[in-house]
């Protein structure tokens, strides 16, 4: 019940607006993190973990959305953070020593989930319209890039209590 209340509160505060591409367009990403702790008294062990649920706002082609003013600033911010996320995945895939997690708030928040200590699952929503074929193709290319990244085996965070 407490989790439902937090999610409902976040949904009420999430910014959505109308553009020429989408009548109800998300104007921000949504990140929900649930920290979990389990204790086994017999083994004197405590297990810690986190579940990150992320709903990324879609990239926006300004020539189609005709965003102006505040909507334009939001679209630019969304596109910039998605580019930063793509840069993180490219660095992880190339196994570079430096991964640019600090290039955006989004990638900084997701660093624990993407740095090899956990598992990541991505769902991609595509538009079925022919007019959105280019955006769908870009989304599929992004998903392909993400799919090529190997984060390694998840580690367990166990402490003695």
């Amino acid at each position: 019940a407490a989790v439902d209340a937090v999610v409902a509160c976040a949904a009420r505060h999430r910014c959505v607006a109308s553009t020429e591409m989408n009548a109800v367009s998300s104007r921000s990403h949504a990140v929900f993190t649930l920290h979990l702790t389990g204790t086994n008294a017999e083994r004197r062990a405590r297990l810690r973990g986190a579940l990150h649920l992320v709903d990324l706002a879609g990239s926006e082609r300004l020539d189609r959305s005709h965003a102006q003013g505040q909507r334009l600033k939001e679209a630019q911010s969304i596109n910039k953070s998605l580019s930063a996320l793509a840069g993180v995945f490219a660095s992880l895939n190339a196994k570079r020593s430096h991964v640019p997690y600090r290039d955006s708030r989004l990638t900084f928040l997701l660093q624990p989930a993407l740095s090899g200590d956990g598992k990541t699952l991505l769902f991609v929503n595509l538009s079925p319209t022919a007019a959105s074929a280019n955006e769908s193709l870009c989304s599929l290319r992004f998903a392909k890039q993400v799919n090529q990244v190997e984060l390694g085996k998840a580690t367990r965070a166990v402490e003695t209590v």
Side-chain angles (χ1 to χ4, degrees):
V3 172
D4 290 337
V6 170
V7 171
C9 178
R12 284 192 306 274
H13 289 90
R14 186 155 191 207
C15 183
V16 294
S18 178
T19 69
E20 290 191 25
M21 278 184 67
N22 191 344
V24 185
S25 176
S26 297
R27 308 314 299 161
S28 63
H29 307 303
V31 179
F32 175 78
T33 301
L34 179 64
H35 295 277
L36 304 164
T37 303
T39 304
N40 184 325
E42 288 179 15
R43 294 187 180 178
R44 298 177 41 106
R46 180 178 297 136
L47 181 64
R48 296 185 186 273
L51 173 66
H52 304 278
L53 302 175
V54 181
D55 182 6
L56 298 174
S59 64
E60 193 167 298
R61 300 232 183 251
L62 299 177
D63 61 334
R64 287 194 58 213
S65 71
H66 299 111
Q68 297 177 0
Q70 183 62 29
R71 301 290 90 81
L72 175 61
K73 289 179 184 178
E74 293 162 352
Q76 290 169 332
S77 181
I78 289 166
N79 291 345
K80 182 179 177 184
S81 65
L82 291 172
S83 292
L85 185 59
V88 165
F89 284 122
S91 293
L92 290 170
N93 192 38
K95 302 198 183 322
R96 294 187 188 119
S97 59
H98 172 71
V99 179
Y101 291 114
R102 293 184 179 201
D103 283 0
S104 79
R105 289 183 197 160
L106 175 67
T107 55
F108 185 76
L109 275 172
L110 295 179
Q111 182 176 354
L114 300 175
S115 59
D117 291 335
K119 291 295 178 188
T120 302
L121 177 65
L122 174 72
F123 291 95
V124 178
N125 290 319
L126 303 174
S127 173
T129 65
S132 296
N134 286 336
E135 286 83 0
S136 294
L137 186 58
C138 286
S139 295
L140 289 171
R141 285 183 182 134
F142 178 76
K144 180 181 178 185
Q145 180 184 10
V146 171
N147 191 48
Q148 292 172 337
V149 175
E150 292 184 26
L151 294 176
K153 186 175 180 176
T155 58
R156 292 172 51 130
V158 181
E159 310 169 345
T160 303
V161 290

